[in-house]
Amino acid sequence: MTKIKPSQGAPYARIMGVGGYRPVRVVPNEVILEKIDSSDEWIRSRSGIATRHWASPEETVAAMSVEAAGKAIADAGIRPEQIGAVIVSTVSHFKQTPAIATEIADKLGTGKPAAFDISAGCAGFGYGLTLAKGMIIDGSAEYALVIGVERLSDLTDLEDRKTAFLFGDGAGAVVVGPAKEPAIGPTVWGSEGDKSETIKQTVAWDEFRIGDVTQLPVDADGEVKFPAITQEGQAVFRWAVFEMAKVAKEALDAAGISADDLDVFIPHQANMRIIDSMVKTLKLPEHVTVARDVETTGNTSAASIPLAMERLLATGEAKSGDTALVIGFGAGLVYAATVVTLP
């Protein structure tokens, strides 16, 4: 039997650089209240959200990704052509094929890297980070670019009182490269498909082609509604608070550290109440910096963790070398948690 040559990758992988992009337009709760019967106080008390960013027609999924990725590459101190893989996590790129990652890779001037999209909702950044880590250690790429990007304003039903205020747009990116010491811990990830109906798209795309349009949802003017994201808020809240705290603890255990060893906690920015409940359940010490980017950015799904990471580092609330626990969770239901050293 012929022996296959072993992989020649790095012993470990690390996040080398981070970048983010938030659309120019800032949307306060007052704009959301034009379509739903609610109040600014109710939205803030239920979600912690005061504002979010919505993209203009020019701020496409690709354009936002290129901006965020360019910053991450510069922060990592490498050249675009050194990127061997581009992984894009998104649920709001509306072309089934080709992958938006190929367009982004070309616009960045990366040469001919592996490029593909993944769909893992709000856990997508963690999924992409895990794949990138494997590539670096395997030797199939020297540097990998992981992008989380969403235009969730395109998938928001502004008449849905349960979700109209939740979602925002943006892109976050990191460069993953070789390391001499462990800097990305084991990933604790998984799925609970029996709960897939708790967060979902309202109408399948093919129903617009073959379905009876009289069965499709309509707005107040009788016009057929574009597909949107809907969720069972209470069910998702309970799952996130109780089950994801367990996953976060498993990630700490897998990395061989305790909550006392943490410097930073960066959970998916879904809801301030979920974040605060997880902090309490995990019994995080007061010295741990907690990302609460959701207040001004809203829920940006796959983009939320790298955007929050970028802001913490930019403001000095977190610093290079800090130990951070990151956890994403959402539609699927899927989740991914790991401990990382910040770039």
Side-chain angles (χ1 to χ4, degrees), residues 150-164:
E150 301 292 2
R151 274 183 55 120
L152 294 181
S153 57
D154 291 335
L155 286 168
T156 299
D157 180 353
L158 294 177
E159 296 177 344
D160 181 356
R161 189 173 183 273
K162 297 180 296 183
T163 61

Side-chain angles (χ1 to χ4, degrees), residues 78-310:
I78 66 170
R79 303 184 308 278
E81 56 267 29
Q82 292 178 271
I83 298 291
V86 177
I87 305 167
V88 178
S89 179
T90 185
V91 298
S92 46
H93 169 53
F94 296 144
K95 286 185 179 179
Q96 202 73 28
T97 192
I100 194 66
T102 57
E103 179 184 339
I104 294 166
D106 179 64
K107 289 183 175 180
L108 286 169
T110 56
K112 299 179 181 179
F116 58 94
D117 299 349
I118 59 175
S119 178
C122 305
F125 174 75
Y127 276 52
L129 183 64
T130 303
L131 294 174
K133 171 188 173 183
M135 292 176 179
I136 304 308
I137 295 174
D138 178 68
S140 55
E142 183 178 8
Y143 301 100
L145 178 65
V146 180
I147 302 169
V149 58
E150 301 292 2
R151 274 183 55 120
L152 294 181
S153 57
D154 291 335
L155 286 168
T156 299
D157 180 353
L158 294 177
E159 296 177 344
D160 181 356
R161 189 173 183 273
K162 297 180 296 183
T163 61
F165 56 90
L166 288 176
F167 302 120
D169 303 336
V174 299
V175 171
V176 180
K180 295 180 180 180
E181 299 178 348
I184 302 175
T187 300
V188 177
W189 55 355
S191 64
E192 298 184 32
D194 60 316
K195 301 179 180 65
S196 61
E197 291 295 301
T198 56
I199 306 175
K200 63 180 181 180
Q201 182 174 307
T202 52
V203 181
W205 297 112
D206 62 353
E207 292 186 45
F208 280 81
R209 181 167 60 90
I210 62 176
D212 180 355
V213 293
T214 62
Q215 302 301 312
L216 297 177
V218 296
D219 60 22
D221 298 320
E223 298 292 329
V224 173
K225 286 186 177 182
F226 193 73
I229 297 173
T230 186
Q231 69 176 30
E232 297 174 18
Q234 287 301 316
V236 173
F237 180 86
R238 289 192 297 270
W239 175 77
V241 169
F242 296 109
E243 298 303 320
M244 291 305 97
K246 297 176 186 176
V247 171
K249 179 61 168 60
E250 288 180 34
L252 291 175
D253 293 342
I257 67 172
S258 69
D260 290 335
D261 299 315
L262 280 179
D263 299 304
V264 185
F265 178 44
I266 310 177
H268 165 49
Q269 301 295 293
N271 180 302
M272 194 75 78
R273 292 169 62 211
I274 291 175
I275 294 171
D276 290 340
S277 294
M278 291 183 71
V279 168
K280 183 177 180 180
T281 302
L282 289 168
K283 298 179 181 179
L284 296 185
E286 290 187 7
H287 75 261
V288 176
T289 297
V290 180
R292 291 188 170 88
D293 195 43
V294 66
E295 180 179 3
T296 56
T297 307
N299 180 343
T300 55
S301 188
S304 79
I305 290 175
L307 277 175
M309 182 184 296
E310 185 265 348

